[in-house]
Amino acid sequence: MAENDRTGGLPTPTPPTPPPPPPPVISLCVSTSPQARAKRKISALEEEVQRLKQDKAIKQRKTTYYVSQGRALRRMVVLYTPIEDLVAENDQRCEDLDGDHTIEQNHLQRGYIELAKTLPWFHEKLASLDCEESEDMFRKLKRGADSARGDDTGTLKELVASWVNIECRPSSLLRADDKHHRGFVNDACGKLLCPAEWCWEDPAVRAGIRDRTAAFIVSENSWPLFMYDNYEADAENLERGLFKSKLLVMGFKAIFTSPSSANEVDGDGDGIDIIENNRRARRRSDHTKVKTCIRFALSNITSWHTIDGDFDYQFFWNNIVDFFEDPPGPAALARVNKLLDWWTRKVFGRNHRQDLTPDVINHMSVCSLAAQRLQMEDAAFDSD
């Protein structure tokens, strides 16, 4: 009774029954030795390491491939324009087939077409990549492009100095390791860089250019004399001799064949691998790259920039491409093709393989000897 008073008259609650213990886990494993299990773990880890190495090797090969392929971009496709801009312009044209296009847009599209020619795999490969993969490919291509431009400008920096010393015989020889004494401060380089419409021998012209007066603005709107045959321009016919200078041919051969071959420009070449080389020599942008690099090598700027004073290298590139790719009519196009044929012969030699008709071949010594041997064989058979 007293206990009920202490609990307020309520019965004492019964404590909950604890849950039964879980049934013991019965292992179905078949006992093996620790040594055997350790060997299998090691083997699995070795396979994983090998797979990771293979993935790394594949990635490295892909990187090496893209970088090596990218070396062609600044030489044959575009001077500065990012690849992304070329791709974006081509995509825009696919969506707007009938739209009007500016000159700049046409330059971009020509760049994309040249890119597809230079890297035939690029267009199809780009379609199979996602955004992140394509950006990674662009970075690697750009790395190769920048590396090639550095190599080319470094090579021509030294070679152009020796060529100018031989061609122009300046009183003070150019040093291969110094660019500060080049450009218009140097008479030999100044004459080669002088616009075709002026005469460098005129003291007023030299002073005006060096003082950068408004009357003598050196820009990409003038053809420099180093691009002309014998470094002389005809004011009445500015196309005569343009792109035929010995300096340009030596620069082309130094970059696209070998530096040692640059000294062999007086003849028509020896014709080695002539068929393939003729095909490559027809590409207009090959020559464009050389012209911009020669101009840079003659200048006194020590690092590559888009702008050199009033001279814009990108517009200079466009002017050269337009000369070859956008002639005003069929007569000008014929002269362009004749000029490219001249470059082919000058760099790689003459090619007459298309004239080797079956009739001509039948009169050559290989076929003649084969016919004579057959006659002798028939005569020996008849005598027996």
Side-chain angles (χ1 to χ4, degrees):
M1 186 66 178
E3 183 177 353
N4 289 338
D5 291 340
R6 289 195 299 268
T7 61
L10 298 175
T12 303
T14 304
T17 304
V25 177
I26 301 176
S27 174
L28 299 178
C29 67
V30 179
S31 179
T32 58
S33 67
Q35 293 84 355
R37 294 196 299 272
K39 287 181 179 180
R40 284 189 285 273
K41 288 181 179 180
I42 292 173
S43 178
L45 291 173
E46 288 178 343
E47 290 180 1
E48 179 67 15
V49 169
Q50 186 64 27
R51 185 185 64 79
L52 293 175
K53 286 182 177 180
Q54 290 177 351
D55 292 344
K56 183 179 180 180
I58 293 173
K59 185 177 180 180
Q60 182 60 42
R61 285 197 298 270
K62 186 181 296 185
T63 298
T64 302
Y65 178 77
Y66 286 151
V67 171
S68 64
Q69 292 285 294
R71 292 180 65 85
L73 296 181
R74 300 295 179 234
R75 291 174 170 175
M76 301 168 61
V77 180
V78 288
L79 186 63
Y80 284 106
T81 309
I83 307 175
E84 295 88 339
D85 291 356
L86 304 182
V87 174
E89 176 60 28
N90 188 69
D91 289 346
Q92 178 63 32
R93 295 208 177 201
C94 291
E95 297 174 0
D96 185 15
L97 299 177
D98 299 326
D100 294 331
H101 305 290
T102 65
I103 295 177
E104 177 60 26
Q105 289 172 329
N106 288 335
H107 286 151
L108 291 173
Q109 186 61 21
R110 285 177 184 169
Y112 186 86
I113 293 172
E114 194 64 30
L115 172 62
K117 292 179 181 178
T118 304
L119 306 180
W121 53 267
F122 179 84
H123 187 77
E124 183 176 352
K125 182 67 176 178
L126 182 63
S128 66
L129 301 178
D130 59 28
C131 182
E132 184 177 348
E133 291 172 332
S134 62
E135 290 178 356
D136 180 65
M137 180 179 68
F138 292 157
R139 284 194 298 269
K140 292 167 182 174
L141 289 172
K142 183 179 182 299
R143 189 196 311 174
D146 294 342
S147 174
R149 181 166 60 194
D151 293 344
D152 294 341
T153 53
T155 297
L156 290 180
K157 172 187 172 182
E158 299 181 2
L159 291 177
V160 166
S162 63
W163 296 341
V164 172
N165 291 335
I166 296 173
E167 289 285 296
C168 302
R169 301 182 183 277
S171 56
S172 178
L173 298 179
L174 297 181
R175 289 173 46 188
D177 60 347
D178 176 39
K179 289 203 69 184
H180 296 286
H181 295 88
R182 303 187 193 185
F184 290 107
V185 299
N186 181 282
D187 278 337
C189 293
K191 178 179 180 179
L192 295 170
L193 292 170
C194 181
E197 56 266 32
W198 299 326
C199 177
W200 178 252
E201 282 70 23
D202 186 342
V205 171
R206 290 201 302 272
I209 291 177
R210 286 169 174 169
D211 294 340
R212 298 185 64 180
T213 64
F216 296 97
I217 301 175
V218 178
S219 73
E220 70 283 351
N221 298 296
S222 300
W223 297 117
L225 286 175
F226 77 82
M227 303 177 71
Y228 281 88
D229 187 22
N230 293 324
Y231 316 116
E232 297 177 351
D234 182 356
E236 302 299 323
N237 184 2
L238 289 171
E239 188 174 345
R240 179 181 298 166
L242 184 60
F243 304 122
K244 284 190 173 184
S245 83
K246 184 177 180 180
L247 206 58
L248 289 182
V249 177
M250 289 191 292
F252 183 96
K253 298 189 75 171
I255 291 178
F256 289 98
T257 56
S258 70
S260 60
S261 70
N263 298 320
E264 304 169 0
V265 297
D266 291 328
D268 279 334
D270 56 12
I272 296 177
D273 199 15
I274 190 68
I275 299 176
E276 172 63 16
N277 288 333
N278 277 352
R279 180 183 65 80
R280 292 191 292 116
R282 299 290 296 187
R283 293 174 179 163
R284 275 74 162 174
S285 296
D286 295 9
H287 311 122
T288 311
K289 162 71 176 184
V290 174
K291 296 166 184 61
T292 55
C293 283
I294 293 289
R295 207 276 176 188
F296 172 78
L298 289 169
S299 72
N300 60 355
I301 59 174
T302 56
S303 59
W304 189 268
H305 298 288
T306 312
I307 305 293
D308 175 12
D310 298 308
F311 192 95
D312 190 310
Y313 279 95
Q314 181 62 63
F315 288 135
F316 184 53
W317 170 285
N318 291 339
N319 290 338
I320 299 171
V321 172
D322 287 344
F323 176 89
F324 286 97
E325 296 287 352
D326 192 21
L333 178 59
R335 293 194 300 273
V336 165
N337 290 330
K338 185 177 180 180
L339 175 60
L340 291 172
D341 289 338
W342 180 89
W343 268 89
T344 298
R345 294 194 306 272
K346 202 66 178 175
V347 176
F348 301 112
R350 294 181 179 273
N351 174 27
H352 294 290
R353 192 164 188 84
Q354 68 276 9
D355 298 323
L356 289 175
T357 63
D359 183 62
V360 173
I361 294 174
N362 286 336
H363 289 84
M364 292 182 171
S365 56
V366 171
C367 288
S368 298
L369 175 57
Q372 291 171 4
R373 295 180 72 189
L374 183 59
Q375 291 175 358
M376 287 187 287
E377 194 69 18
D378 292 341
F381 178 79
D382 293 340
S383 64
D384 292 339

